[in-house]
Amino acid sequence: MTADLVEHRIFAQNLLLGESLFLTLKLPPQWDLAPGVSRPEVHATHERRERHWVASGDAWYVIYHREQRWALEVAITTRPLRRGSSVSSGTTLSISDHAATVRWKQKRRGLPWQRHDVTFLIVEFDCPASERRFKLEFSGWCPQEGFDEILAALRQVRCH
């Protein structure tokens, strides 16, 4: 699966600070990335390994499967890595050789007379190389098959 993944650089652009990278998300070719509800917010950046990283910030996107017409909202949060703290517990996964936790939850959304269940996939991991902690939250009405495709692709995320 790794050979045919398409890279999507998630970054923030600022006139004063220039370009700062959140991460590089790799998706199967039938999935596309679109801007979300708001532009990325950056609270702090730092330079590590000759690259500017978003040290503290939030970004929102939508990923969608063109053929199946599935869509997932993606919320990306990064914060400075705090020594001695750890990510929450859950199923484990390897992302860029970092141990990540995977959690699933359901929430009810919508107006009181039209409420529906929405699935959330939450992946958290620490990147010591860029000194950051990540939380990636995917949510939507996508069937389990779509969530599984994204979860498999997440193993190839580049965070440093």
Side-chain angles (χ1 to χ4, degrees):
M1 176 179 199
T2 61
D4 61 346
L5 295 178
V6 178
E7 287 189 356
H8 300 274
R9 293 181 69 228
I10 309 295
F11 65 92
Q13 190 80 22
N14 182 293
L15 289 174
L16 298 174
L17 302 174
E19 181 180 288
S20 298
L21 192 62
F22 278 89
L23 53 77
T24 300
L25 183 63
K26 295 184 177 185
L27 297 172
Q30 60 274 22
W31 288 86
D32 283 321
L33 181 76
V37 296
S38 179
R39 295 178 55 85
E41 294 179 2
V42 177
H43 312 293
T45 65
H46 63 220
E47 186 176 344
R48 301 292 186 272
R49 296 180 162 201
E50 300 176 14
R51 175 164 270 162
H52 290 309
W53 302 102
V54 175
S56 180
D58 302 282
W60 302 272
Y61 288 88
V62 174
I63 57 173
Y64 60 96
H65 192 294
R66 289 184 303 271
E67 295 148 16
Q68 297 293 339
R69 303 179 71 73
W70 300 331
L72 292 170
E73 295 177 35
V74 183
I76 301 169
T77 303
T78 182
R79 298 293 182 259
L81 184 58
R82 303 279 185 236
R83 303 286 181 220
S85 66
S86 62
V87 294
S88 59
S89 62
T91 307
T92 58
L93 171 74
S94 178
I95 295 179
S96 287
D97 295 324
H98 305 311
T101 60
V102 177
R103 293 182 291 125
W104 297 90
K105 69 179 179 181
Q106 294 279 323
K107 276 188 180 178
R108 300 219 17 102
R109 279 191 174 167
L111 300 171
W113 58 90
Q114 284 186 316
R115 296 189 66 75
H116 52 273
D117 288 328
V118 176
T119 301
F120 285 78
L121 164 64
I122 302 148
V123 179
E124 295 179 275
F125 64 98
D126 292 341
C127 176
S130 64
E131 300 177 27
R132 301 178 297 159
R133 170 166 290 163
F134 287 93
K135 179 179 179 183
L136 309 175
E137 188 173 277
F138 299 84
S139 63
W141 293 335
C142 188
Q144 188 63 42
E145 174 186 352
F147 278 103
D148 292 343
E149 283 184 28
I150 296 306
L151 192 55
L154 286 179
R155 296 175 189 275
Q156 303 303 314
V157 162
R158 277 202 339 251
C159 54
H160 64 272

